[in-house]
Amino acid sequence: MVGAQPANFEALEAQARTLLAIFIASGYEAVAPDIIQPAGVFLDVVGEALRGRTYVFTDLNGEEMCLRPDLTVPTCRLYLARHPQADREAFYSYNGPAFRFQPVGAGASHPREFRQAGIEAFGGADAGEADARTLVLILRALQQAGLSKWRLQTGDVGLFDALLDDANMPERWRRRLRDHFWRPDALHAELKRLSTEPARSAAAFPRSLIDALDPEDPAGAENLVAAYLDEQGIELIGARTAAEIAEGLLGIAADAKAPPLKPETAALIESYVGTHLPAAEVAPALRRFAGSAGAGFARAIDAYERRLKLLADSGVDVARMEFSAEFGRNVGYYTGFVFEVIAETLGAESPVAGGGRYDSLLKAVGAPRNVSAVGAAIHTERLLAVVRGAKS
């Protein structure tokens, strides 16, 4: 039941205080973001996987609110309340509850109310150094709490973005592929469609309407769609407006007139997405086909390699790190390096900690521009279960 104290509440509190003390000693100010948050902010940025698991309600003023499903977005809002221009470097730490719907039978490792102890860093000039510092501190805190056996699952959304940016394709296709990145099956299906039959999606709509739409004239497209709906006696149902319908149809119309994605470009993207290797082997493997990608992708590989060296120089055993190009965590706001710390006894479905880089999130919640940002959180219930199991 939401709000009930777990049986091991005192042990969790003691562990969380230990973790928070480690973070504070490393220069991260302790903060306590609000538990109740505006729902719109979360539902816009957290991604599909988390959106459907967020507890949303309407308060007595008619405002849609939610119980925070994580502490990263609330900490971003706290930072912006203090620094509206997002022009200051800041380091925050926290310890508190988060709430997510879990299906029946999800198990003790997936409670509906759980605690996160974490850190967030805003405004750093050196992204690679900030990424490495975040992971090193999380690992140090886990180890001091008693976690000795772990492995790291990592990915890098920035590598995928750089590969798409270098590829010769319409921007709308890049957006579509980025949207599908979190769903591998959908990504592969979309790549196949774009490289064979990009016009296929137009088949479900009247050809006369699709042919009449001009991608360079959105206002005219809205009028055409409104007239077509009126002629056919079709009423708008739900939240979509004629302008939104027209925007979607313009993309379909443009696809109907576009040549397919070059097979070599689709093959290059498939080759990257299929990369699953020990972290130390990734850069050499990607460089083997980087010449076909472009300069942006080559720079992203350099950044990956530098971050790995920073981690190794900080004492992280990179032999315990694995890389999967498709790994992006289940939260939609990550833009770069992502990771999860996995304990052998719980497995990959229940990571003990995780985090990553999210340079566009602050702008999405109100900052005047994108801001360099990275953070991570420890799932304290899981950590306690692992540590207790190791001692028993």
Side-chain angles (χ1 to χ4, degrees), residues 20 23-24 26-33 71-72 74-83 88-95 117-122 133-134 137-138 358 362 374-376:
L20 200 58
F23 298 150
I24 293 170
S26 298
Y28 288 76
E29 176 191 353
V31 295
L71 274 81
T72 297
T75 306
C76 287
R77 297 186 66 243
L78 184 150
Y79 168 77
L80 287 176
R82 293 183 176 185
H83 311 293
R88 300 286 183 87
E89 192 171 13
F91 301 87
Y92 297 142
S93 60
Y94 49 75
N95 160 47
I119 53 176
E120 311 291 344
F122 304 117
R133 181 180 64 240
T134 297
L137 181 53
I138 288 293
Y358 49 91
L362 278 158
V374 61

Side-chain angles (χ1 to χ4, degrees), residues 229-254:
L229 295 174
D230 186 57
E231 289 170 6
Q232 300 297 316
I234 301 173
E235 294 184 13
L236 289 173
I237 299 175
R240 297 191 71 193
T241 65
E244 291 169 332
I245 295 172
E247 183 181 2
L249 289 177
L250 282 174
I252 292 171

Side-chain angles (χ1 to χ4, degrees), residues 40-266:
V41 174
F42 275 94
L43 301 183
D44 286 344
V45 302
V46 296
E48 290 182 15
L50 196 51
R51 188 178 298 125
R53 297 170 58 198
T54 300
Y55 288 99
V56 179
F57 62 94
T58 302
D59 69 12
L60 295 177
N61 290 325
E63 293 186 61
E64 196 173 47
M65 311 296 287
C66 72
L67 297 176
R68 63 188 184 196
D70 78 358
L71 274 81
T72 297
V73 176
T75 306
C76 287
R77 297 186 66 243
L78 184 150
Y79 168 77
L80 287 176
R82 293 183 176 185
H83 311 293
Q85 298 306 310
D87 54 356
R88 300 286 183 87
E89 192 171 13
F91 301 87
Y92 297 142
S93 60
Y94 49 75
N95 160 47
F99 308 84
R100 297 180 190 178
F101 171 77
Q102 306 288 355
V104 175
S109 295
H110 297 265
R112 294 182 178 183
E113 177 181 348
F114 57 97
R115 303 181 75 81
Q116 289 185 337
I119 53 176
E120 311 291 344
F122 304 117
D126 188 331
E129 192 277 333
D131 291 348
R133 181 180 64 240
T134 297
L135 178 52
V136 167
L137 181 53
I138 288 293
L139 290 176
R140 178 152 55 85
L142 289 171
Q143 289 169 332
Q144 290 189 25
L147 181 67
S148 58
K149 296 181 179 180
W150 53 266
R151 62 183 175 87
L152 271 170
Q153 177 67 66
T154 68
D156 193 331
V157 184
L159 278 167
F160 183 69
D161 283 348
L163 185 63
L164 292 184
D165 286 341
D166 283 348
N168 182 17
M169 68 174 72
E171 182 58 34
R172 66 182 181 279
W173 290 4
R174 292 192 185 95
R175 290 194 299 269
R176 209 172 298 162
L177 291 172
R178 287 188 179 105
D179 289 343
H180 289 320
F181 175 73
W182 316 101
R183 303 177 298 278
D185 290 343
L187 175 65
H188 296 308
E190 186 66 10
L191 269 175
K192 182 177 180 181
R193 185 185 74 82
L194 294 178
S195 58
T196 55
E197 301 176 88
R200 191 175 65 209
S201 58
F205 300 91
R207 188 71 198 191
S208 59
L209 176 61
I210 295 297
D211 287 343
L213 296 175
D214 181 359
E216 303 300 322
D217 184 12
E222 181 182 350
N223 292 333
L224 284 170
V225 168
Y228 175 81
L229 295 174
D230 186 57
E231 289 170 6
Q232 300 297 316
I234 301 173
E235 294 184 13
L236 289 173
I237 299 175
R240 297 191 71 193
T241 65
E244 291 169 332
I245 295 172
E247 183 181 2
L249 289 177
L250 282 174
I252 292 171
D255 284 356
K257 301 166 186 175
L261 185 67
K262 290 183 179 180
E264 56 267 30
T265 301

Side-chain angles (χ1 to χ4, degrees), residues 284-321:
L286 296 184
R287 283 205 172 90
R288 285 196 283 272
F289 60 83
S292 304
F297 187 60
R299 287 192 296 272
I301 296 172
D302 290 342
Y304 171 91
E305 200 165 40
R306 176 174 177 263
R307 182 176 57 237
L308 197 66
K309 184 177 186 304
L310 287 169
L311 289 169
D313 291 345
S314 298
V316 176
D317 183 1
V318 297
R320 299 164 79 174
M321 294 176 60

